[in-house]
Amino acid sequence: MKENKVSTALIGFGKVAQAYSKDPLTAKYYPYATHAQVLKAHPNIKWDMVVDPNHEAQKQARENWGINYVSSVIDFPDKTISEIEMVVLTTPPSERIDLISKFPNLKAVLVEKPLGLDFNSSSRFVDYCNQRNLIVQVNLWRRADHLFRELANGMLEDLIGVPQSVFGFFGNGLINNGIHLIDFARMLFGEVKSVQRIQAFSSYSESPIKKDLNFGFSLEMSTGVVVFFSPLSFEHYRENGFSIWGTSGKLDILNEGLSVLYYPKGQNRAISNEMEINYDKPVSIESTVGHAFYNIYDNLLASLLDKEKLFSCSQSALVTSQVLDTLQKAPLNGEVLNL
């Protein structure tokens, strides 16, 4: 890799690419909230190119981020395009194959979820990347968070024992945000055996993605635990998180990962010889979500050098896409659909 840095193009320059970095509150808790922040800061990345049809976004790329090659389409000199080794895709999923096909010497792709408009288009994207032997990391960023990885690797059971009941909360669209929680459930509780739509929970349309819905559902996991999901309207407040009841305690992962609270088990205050969860004595666990964006790039670059396995590979993301696709087909009568 030239100069020991990976020459990179960022395609799509909207909120997740750079705009969130302008919010002072976001900056307080997320040192790396956008792709642009990581691309600019990482010592092993040479950020050469931005592609976006929006003229204001192009102006931001030139003036605020110092990018030389900026355009609405991929029309740069052949030599410049041939030097690109990594592409970051934050565009809608419909034209992604066509976009990366223009880079002849591509080695790696970091792509925003969802992979495609549906499971079939997601599969086509993954097949194309496999045919070109591209390393593909999907930005389901919870898989790159240090604390969440520790929880998945045994810390969760060390804290609260065997999970008995889990409630997940999401808003602003199943495709937009729910997909993150589905993938996180797979990370923490094992693979999904079956899905069921729950009509008793509210259902409504609220999402930046066209035709995206919010509805309640459950996932039966391979470990035996059932995860129940209820949507919450972002009109009132944001939330994407979990409340997990185990055999020896409870863990809340709320405020989109900023609040992680452990509630140990103790003697019941009102009944002799019984136990209870000490809700009045939570133990706060330091959140690490502010660095997950950086970690997912670090892991991808290490994978390029065959030093690490990908945290969020395309095959894993495709499984999550299949769960999502099955959920969208689930009938309202509560029929259980097996995967």
Side-chain angles (χ1 to χ4, degrees), residues 22 25 32 45 79 99 153 191 215 220 286 308 323:
K22 301 173 186 176
L25 288 179
Y32 302 99
I45 293 174
K79 183 178 182 297
L99 290 170
N153 289 328
E191 294 301 336
F215 58 80
E220 180 192 8
E286 185 178 0
E308 291 182 10
V323 176

Side-chain angles (χ1 to χ4, degrees), residues 196-216:
Q196 182 180 29
R197 185 162 173 176
I198 304 176
Q199 192 173 6
F201 291 157
S202 57
S203 178
Y204 53 90
S205 177
E206 181 182 279
S207 173
I209 299 175
K210 190 176 180 181
K211 297 183 179 180
D212 196 3
L213 293 174
N214 301 267
F215 58 80

Side-chain angles (χ1 to χ4, degrees), residues 6 12 18 21 25 84-85 174 204 261 313 323 327 336:
V6 179
Q18 54 87 24
S21 62
L25 288 179
I84 296 295
E85 296 173 296
L174 186 60
Y204 53 90
L261 298 173
C313 69
V323 176
L327 268 173
V336 175

